[in-house]
Amino acid sequence: MREQHEYAKSVESELSKRGLRVELDASNETLGKKVRNAKASKVPYYIVLGKKEVEAQTLSVESRDNGPLGSLSTDDFIAKIEA
């Protein structure tokens, strides 16, 4: 779990450096509740980082408008949303 939090902090930092507004939900809620909260808040994109994503250094991304975008690198994600 610590690895996931550290990776999430590094992704948050990288996205912030690129001028993107980012909020990290490090609460003790279940994943399902965090996803529901993100959808209810109508955030344009939310990213889920689990063990697989940490090992592959990728992001599991979902768009409010387009649904799941799949597994992307941080750079690919940034390029996609800036396009």
Side-chain angles (χ1 to χ4, degrees), residues 6-20 22 24 74 78:
E6 288 174 5
Y7 182 53
K9 291 294 286 179
S10 72
V11 169
E12 176 189 35
S13 176
E14 179 63 27
L15 295 176
S16 293
K17 284 180 193 173
R18 301 277 188 103
L20 301 172
V22 182
L24 175 61
T74 303
I78 292 168

Side-chain angles (χ1 to χ4, degrees), residues 1-8 31 47-60 71:
M1 189 69 132
R2 181 174 166 88
E3 289 176 342
Q4 293 164 340
H5 185 71
E6 288 174 5
Y7 182 53
L31 176 60
I47 298 170
V48 176
L49 301 175
K51 188 176 180 179
K52 272 191 337 188
E53 288 78 20
V54 172
E55 289 172 358
Q57 295 291 292
T58 59
L59 314 173
S60 179
S71 205

Side-chain angles (χ1 to χ4, degrees), residues 6-83:
E6 288 174 5
Y7 182 53
K9 291 294 286 179
S10 72
V11 169
E12 176 189 35
S13 176
E14 179 63 27
L15 295 176
S16 293
K17 284 180 193 173
R18 301 277 188 103
L20 301 172
R21 188 175 42 178
V22 182
E23 182 179 327
L24 175 61
D25 184 352
S27 67
N28 287 328
E29 299 293 343
T30 64
L31 176 60
K33 185 156 188 174
K34 289 179 183 184
V35 169
R36 279 191 302 278
N37 289 341
K39 287 182 177 183
S41 298
K42 299 195 184 228
V43 295
Y45 297 93
Y46 66 89
I47 298 170
V48 176
L49 301 175
K51 188 176 180 179
K52 272 191 337 188
E53 288 78 20
V54 172
E55 289 172 358
Q57 295 291 292
T58 59
L59 314 173
S60 179
V61 182
E62 187 159 332
S63 165
R64 175 185 65 209
D65 299 327
N66 301 317
L69 301 178
S71 205
L72 303 168
S73 71
T74 303
D75 289 336
D76 288 345
F77 172 65
I78 292 168
K80 186 168 205 66
I81 63 174
E82 288 181 340

